[in-house]
Amino acid sequence: MDFIILVSAFIALLMLGTSVASAMILSATLSLLLADMPLRVVADRLLAGLNSYTLLAVPFFIFAAVAMNRGGLTRRLLDVARVFVGRFPGGTAQVNILASIFFAGMSGSATADAASQGRILIPHMKKEGYDPGFAAGITAAASTIGAIIPPSITMIIYGSITNISIGKLFLAGIGPGLLIGIALMAMTWRLSVRRGYPVSAPVPWRDRLRPVVVALPALLAPALILGSIFTGVTTPTEAGVVACIYALLLGFFVYRDLGIRDVVPLLEEAVVATAVPLYIIAAGAVFGFALTVTGFGFQVRDALGALTDSAHLFLLIAIASFLVIGFFIEGTAALLIFVPVFTPIAQSYGIEPLLFAVVTCIVVLIGTITPPVGLQLFITADIAKVSVFQVEVLPSVGIILAVVAAIIAFPSIVTFLPSLL
């Protein structure tokens, strides 16, 4: 009965237009009060949800992403990508994907990737004759790579929930992230040939060196950030500070796109961008506690135990569940609510924790590019001036799910690099 009240109140609040985070807090508060829990528990869980050293990395990496965008790093990475893949079929779309791979190694934010590259590339793609829906769709899909290849804010949040090593999660995301990028480029090649999308003029080899040299400090950022983590010099949180300092140094002294007057706007943008995920994280802690009180996790475990004893069938059920959840609930909230429920069950089936973690993060990210609540979808659709239902994301979703299937079939894609630690 408590579970029905909790879920009914949550759905009703969403239908009334309440934000996901506020709906989680209000429905959880109602459920806990009806269960005779003191109201103080809500405040305690809100604070406990944020009282994590690991989560300190989130605002640092968000600030680093903002500083990189404003400091000119994104533009120079695009120049390098254009030199090497611009001549392929669908050249600018290929640049979009490759630049997302570059940017992923610095920011860890799919949202920052979609917003920064979308503002530059989507208008350019439209002028070149790309369908606006395709331009928005490939930008949104490519942005998910930013939350898979390390550093990854999504994986930091997952690690804070499950206490899995953030360093191992980061290493586990490299193979799948690169595989998604390659698969999206192959899909783009095929669609571009079929639709006659333009090809950029080849850049002579003698002219390729200059963009690479100019962008070299930016290209070194992933090596600096990830190297400091994997060598044990810094924790992931401290690496976030390193990323901030490095982005500012490049913006102020190397590329000189930043000045003293940019400091306050940088801080303002970073604070606003940080407030949303942290609010959702705090709200998710309250809602997750309310779910625990209702016994929802035990009910799901018992139901799945009665349904199947196959680990692969459980994985299919979990993937399908997270896909459906992603249609209605923002990605961070979905992780906070359902990962504590599904992770112990996955362990009981003997599923490798890193494999389940990466599969879950990827499937949850699919929800960020699908209607009706996908954040990256809304960002790119707004830039392309099209409805979210006109954005062409289904081919990319199919490609990403194919990569998920490959990961399940060949777990070493995920586990090989972490096994080296």
Side-chain angles (χ1 to χ4, degrees):
M1 184 65 181
D2 291 339
F3 173 72
I4 295 174
I5 293 172
L6 175 64
V7 173
S8 299
F10 178 65
I11 294 173
L13 287 165
L14 288 179
M15 293 178 66
L16 290 172
T18 309
S19 70
V20 172
S22 298
M24 286 194 292
I25 292 174
L26 293 172
S27 59
T29 301
L30 174 62
S31 176
L32 291 171
L33 288 176
L34 292 176
D36 294 325
M37 301 285 287
L39 192 60
R40 183 185 65 197
V41 170
V42 177
D44 288 343
R45 299 313 303 174
L46 280 169
L47 292 174
L50 296 176
N51 188 20
S52 167
Y53 176 75
T54 302
L55 287 179
L56 276 176
V58 174
F60 287 129
F61 278 115
I62 288 177
F63 179 84
V66 172
M68 289 170 187
N69 287 335
R70 288 179 173 258
L73 278 72
T74 302
R75 189 175 71 254
R76 288 166 176 86
L77 291 175
L78 288 173
D79 290 339
V80 174
R82 189 173 290 109
V83 162
F84 288 101
V85 298
R87 69 186 188 281
F88 295 163
T92 307
Q94 303 283 11
V95 169
N96 201 332
I97 299 166
L98 183 58
S100 290
I101 294 174
F102 289 157
F103 195 64
M106 296 184 292
S107 74
S109 170
T111 304
D113 188 318
S116 60
Q117 292 185 196
R119 292 191 187 103
I120 298 171
L121 289 176
I122 291 177
H124 188 62
M125 290 175 72
K126 289 172 66 177
K127 288 180 181 178
E128 289 186 343
Y130 289 85
D131 297 323
F134 174 80
I138 198 63
T139 304
S143 72
T144 62
I145 300 171
I148 301 171
I149 292 177
S152 164
I153 291 175
T154 300
M155 290 186 178
I156 290 170
I157 293 171
Y158 189 101
S160 72
I161 299 169
T162 60
N163 292 320
I164 294 178
S165 164
I166 303 296
K168 288 188 175 182
L169 274 175
F170 280 0
L171 282 174
I174 293 175
L178 292 174
L179 196 57
I180 289 174
I182 293 169
L184 287 175
M185 293 180 79
M187 179 202 74
T188 299
W189 184 305
R190 182 177 179 183
L191 289 177
S192 298
V193 170
R194 183 188 303 170
R195 299 177 183 181
Y197 289 150
V199 178
S200 301
V203 178
W205 280 101
R206 63 179 180 276
D207 295 331
R208 295 184 182 188
L209 184 60
R210 186 177 183 279
V212 174
V213 171
V214 171
L216 188 60
L219 292 169
L220 290 175
L224 176 65
I225 296 167
L226 300 179
S228 66
I229 296 173
F230 299 144
T231 58
V233 175
T234 68
T235 65
T237 300
E238 293 164 348
V241 179
V242 171
C244 292
I245 295 172
Y246 191 68
L248 289 174
L249 288 174
L250 292 186
F252 277 108
F253 302 110
V254 178
Y255 298 132
R256 299 185 179 181
D257 285 354
L258 292 178
I260 296 299
R261 293 181 179 179
D262 294 308
V263 173
V264 172
L266 276 175
L267 292 171
E268 288 177 346
E269 185 176 347
V271 167
V272 171
T274 302
V276 175
L278 291 186
Y279 179 38
I280 294 173
I281 288 170
V286 179
F287 193 87
F289 179 75
L291 268 181
T292 302
V293 171
T294 67
F296 175 68
F298 297 109
Q299 295 169 18
V300 173
R301 183 195 63 190
D302 294 342
L304 288 172
L307 181 63
T308 179
D309 58 0
S310 167
H312 285 94
L313 183 54
F314 164 75
L315 267 177
L316 289 176
I317 293 171
I319 289 169
S321 300
F322 278 111
L323 281 174
V324 173
I325 290 164
F327 290 144
F328 306 103
I329 300 178
E330 192 274 337
T332 302
L335 287 175
L336 292 163
I337 295 171
F338 294 101
V339 164
V341 173
F342 279 93
T343 299
I345 302 172
Q347 291 174 348
S348 70
Y349 279 95
I351 297 172
E352 163 61 46
L354 286 175
L355 174 66
F356 187 73
V358 172
V359 167
T360 299
C361 288
I362 293 173
V363 175
V364 165
L365 285 165
I366 290 175
T368 68
I369 64 172
T370 53
V373 299
L375 180 56
Q376 278 80 263
L377 182 73
F378 276 99
I379 291 171
T380 57
D382 180 64
I383 296 171
K385 308 300 180 188
V386 295
S387 162
V388 293
F389 296 101
Q390 294 176 299
V391 177
E392 191 177 342
V393 293
L394 283 181
S396 298
V397 169
I399 288 293
I400 296 173
L401 287 175
V403 172
V404 170
I407 291 170
I408 294 173
F410 304 99
S412 59
I413 296 172
V414 170
T415 59
F416 174 70
L417 288 177
S419 70
L420 299 179
L421 280 182

